[in-house]
Amino acid sequence: MDDISSILYESAQRLLGDLSERVLAGQALTDKDRADGWRRIEEMGLPVALVSEEAGGFGFSDADAFGLVRICGRHIVAWPLVETMLANRFAVENGSEPLEGPVETLGELTPEQREAAALTRAVQMAGALDAILAMTISHVQERQQFGRALAKFQAVQHSLAILASEVAAGQAAADHAVARRAQGGDGATLAIGIARARIGEACSKAAAIAHQLHGAIGYAQEHRLHLYTTSLWKWRDEFGTQAWWTQQVGREVLASGRDAFWPMVTAA
Amino acid sequence: MTLLTFPPPVENEATEALRTEVRAFLAEAIATRTPLERAESWNGFDREFSRAMGARGWLGMTWPKEYGGHERSAFERYVVVEETLAAGAPVAAHWIADRQSGPSLLRYGTEAQKRTILPRIAAGDCVFCIGMSEPDSGSDLAATRTRAERQVDGSWTVNGTKLWTTYGHEADYMILFCRTSGTPADRHKGTSQLLVDMKATPGVTVRPIYDVMGQHHFNEVHFEDAVLPPDAILGTEGQGWAQVMGELAYERSGPERFLSSIQLLLELIGTLQGSESVAAQTAVGRLFSHLVTLRHMSRGVAALLEAGEDPTVHAAIVKDLGATFEQDLPDIARSLVDEEPDLQSTSDFAAVLAYTTMAAPAFSLRGGTREILRGIIARQLGLR
């Protein structure tokens, strides 16, 4: 990551953080808020973050562009920003101009496009897991029960240790798939399948623990937690369900058989 | 905002060439080892095999050449370690020495200790055991009661008992963690590490402890007025706690923390090979995804070690997730294959399933219990 991308990361973090603050569940944005928010996103150039420099993008490496997607995952906003990023990428790859956003749905995708979208979702999930972990840590440090912070209870500490471990594993799998895709070659599809299988499971466990530790407070619509957990429950099964991706990985492993197993692990 | 990032592993042609070399060696060296024997994983003990590893330069790999080492990278060592584990090679005769005792000696040992012992470890000719747990001090290591008293002539007299001492009955040396001043109430203060010659120290008795399978790996090591020479002290007197924590970081950081059940996974793949069952494919896809991810994380720990950073928390995460993965395997295997577990079976799957089922409880006990590891992770998160 160079200076330009790190400056852009910071600005995106600030803008999306600010826009994300305004999304409170059950509270619809006015049309004006909606239009203003999207205009600010467009001014920063985020909708074309995944397209080439010639087509108006930042000219980021794939790895840096995915860094931006991860930031998008950390901030749930009212606009389909990541969907628009993907739609623009596919449009440009097909020789068209970037689209007038925001783009709500992607429509029919080719297998290659679906794979790119699946990986993008995995990275977005990694970002949302960052947010869920941070949110849960602050909650247990602030919330007092029985005269002390929840964080002081060993049962709570151990639940959070599991949450942090799942988050770390899911993110490691997503990071690796990004690196594999950047390398090119045959391994990318398998790495994306592994990432979707692993991070999907991490999302289930993380969401369950985060809700448990937030108590009833986190189950109320006015709390932000559900913006993340409901997103994860959706994303983990989009562009190929977790079950489908996991089965693809297993099919390949079982087709290769016992003697090929360990070499397959070290090559993955 | 990202709390726990695992650095990406470094790959290069040298490590992959080494991998090919190690695989070729293992294919021959352990060709006659049965799947059930391979399932013993790092409990399999064979001095000849360890000497053969030493002869190839695959022990003490990262240490300076002047102490018998080979000055290779942590990644090259990682390749050798994971390949021997995946193959089910009998590594126990060099395992503890190469993994933690040697690195501790290199860091804290006197010139004489390093020159006498490290070349022997690198040659695969020196077995070490760990002297940490005691009857009243398991996870609570600071409660150690074994005591070394300094005599007027500078020598040490040791009294106390160490427990769960793996291969204590074969070991040439132990690194003993004990109290050299104060009382157990002083906790971390007043503890030290001493080097014990297990073959030539009067007053040291080793008694076997049999595990649930009836196997003899563990021992009870009793010290009764055992006399150690003045130069037995390892590192600095009174700094035992800091030193033993460093040793544990090595003990917890390797791929053995998620590869203990690999033989069962191989037998499972062999049994289900080519299956079109959705349940089988999904279960295997999940296991493969976990394993590959654990390996990436574990290689990230090796990268931290190579960079001289403290891998304690990252290692705790890999070990906790790894032990859960290893322990889940027997139940997943038996949910997919209709075969009774049986150690005596002629079916490799049935025999390895029986073995791994009985070995599994230890996976989240040895080298730091699950509860201790989660405490370490929680501390890193700022909760304690």
Side-chain angles (χ1 to χ4, degrees), chain B residues 27-351:
Chain B
E28 204 152 306
I30 59 167
T32 58
R33 208 166 158 75
T34 66
L36 183 57
E37 288 169 332
R38 290 170 194 249
E40 285 183 51
S41 186
W42 35 296
N43 272 328
F45 190 96
D46 181 346
R47 283 182 188 263
E48 275 312 306
F49 177 79
S50 293
R51 286 193 196 102
M53 290 284 290
R56 272 158 188 81
W58 294 340
L59 300 179
M61 283 179 81
T62 61
W63 310 344
K65 287 184 177 163
E66 57 174 321
Y67 302 122
H70 303 281
E71 300 183 3
R72 299 182 81 163
S73 72
F75 302 108
E76 289 174 296
R77 177 174 181 273
Y78 193 97
V79 166
V80 171
V81 168
E82 70 173 346
E83 289 298 326
T84 48
L85 286 169
V91 295
H94 65 256
W95 197 247
I96 290 165
D98 177 68
R99 176 180 70 188
Q100 65 195 83
S101 317
S104 278
L105 278 164
L106 193 59
R107 197 158 161 199
Y108 301 114
T110 61
E111 201 50 36
Q113 287 168 336
K114 290 195 272 194
R115 292 211 180 274
T116 336
I117 300 174
L118 292 178
R120 286 182 58 201
I121 297 178
D125 220 7
C126 187
V127 178
F128 264 77
C129 63
I130 298 170
M132 296 190 199
S133 294
E134 296 184 12
D136 295 325
S137 158
S139 287
D140 184 9
L141 206 53
T144 181
R145 294 216 307 222
T146 298
R147 206 175 173 86
E149 305 258 12
R150 200 194 273 279
Q151 305 301 307
V152 266
D153 65 353
S155 66
W156 300 87
T157 305
V158 184
N159 281 286
T161 305
K162 288 291 169 182
L163 216 56
W164 319 123
T165 314
T166 299
Y167 285 111
H169 56 301
E170 294 278 3
D172 300 300
Y173 288 98
M174 169 194 278
I175 293 180
L176 172 73
F177 173 71
C178 67
R179 192 155 285 293
T180 43
S181 70
T183 68
D186 291 323
R187 305 289 296 165
H188 306 167
K189 282 191 290 182
T191 56
S192 303
Q193 286 187 308
L194 290 116
L195 196 58
V196 182
D197 184 334
M198 294 291 286
K199 303 288 192 203
T201 306
V204 176
T205 321
V206 181
R207 295 196 196 97
I209 298 173
Y210 295 92
D211 64 21
V212 292
M213 278 187 268
Q215 289 192 318
H216 174 205
H217 299 130
F218 289 146
N219 298 275
E220 177 183 278
V221 180
H222 195 58
F223 295 85
E224 193 176 352
D225 292 329
V227 179
L228 305 180
D231 60 4
I233 193 90
L234 175 64
T236 311
E237 187 180 339
Q239 289 300 306
W241 184 259
Q243 290 180 204
V244 87
M245 286 299 117
E247 189 183 334
L248 278 169
Y250 288 111
E251 184 172 343
R252 288 172 182 158
S253 64
E256 69 270 32
R257 300 307 180 181
F258 58 91
L259 289 174
S260 312
S261 301
I262 186 78
Q263 197 59 44
L264 177 58
L265 185 50
L266 289 168
E267 293 308 325
L268 178 67
I269 303 294
T271 307
L272 299 174
Q273 199 155 324
S275 169
E276 289 296 324
S277 145
V278 173
Q281 289 175 345
T282 307
V284 167
R286 177 180 173 273
L287 291 171
F288 186 79
S289 302
H290 273 256
L291 177 56
V292 168
T293 304
L294 281 163
R295 181 172 174 270
H296 292 321
M297 296 169 85
S298 170
R299 288 176 358 129
V301 172
L304 289 173
L305 274 174
E306 177 84 0
E309 287 174 50
D310 178 9
T312 304
V313 179
H314 294 78
I317 290 179
V318 177
K319 184 176 179 315
D320 187 26
L321 289 172
T324 304
F325 169 79
E326 295 172 336
Q327 288 177 328
D328 285 348
L329 249 163
D331 266 336
I332 294 169
R334 52 187 279 280
S335 75
L336 294 167
V337 180
D338 184 27
E339 263 194 69
E340 282 183 37
D342 178 4
L343 275 181
Q344 269 75 47
S345 174
T346 50
S347 148
D348 289 329
F349 175 84

Side-chain angles (χ1 to χ4, degrees), chain A residues 15-24 75-77 224:
Chain A
L15 173 63
L16 296 175
D18 179 36
L19 292 174
S20 164
E21 289 296 313
R22 299 169 189 216
V23 184
L24 279 176
H75 305 283
I76 303 287
V77 293
R224 302 184 57 74

Side-chain angles (χ1 to χ4, degrees), chain A residues 2 7 10 29 42 45 55 64 71 77 91 110 142 161 171 173 195 217 221 229 234-235 258:
Chain A
D2 57 22
I7 291 168
E10 273 171 42
L29 292 177
E42 277 187 326
D64 282 350
I71 292 170
V77 293
T110 65
E142 285 157 21
Q171 292 176 341
I217 295 169
Q221 206 183 44
T229 53
K234 200 156 71 73
W235 294 344
R258 188 188 196 284

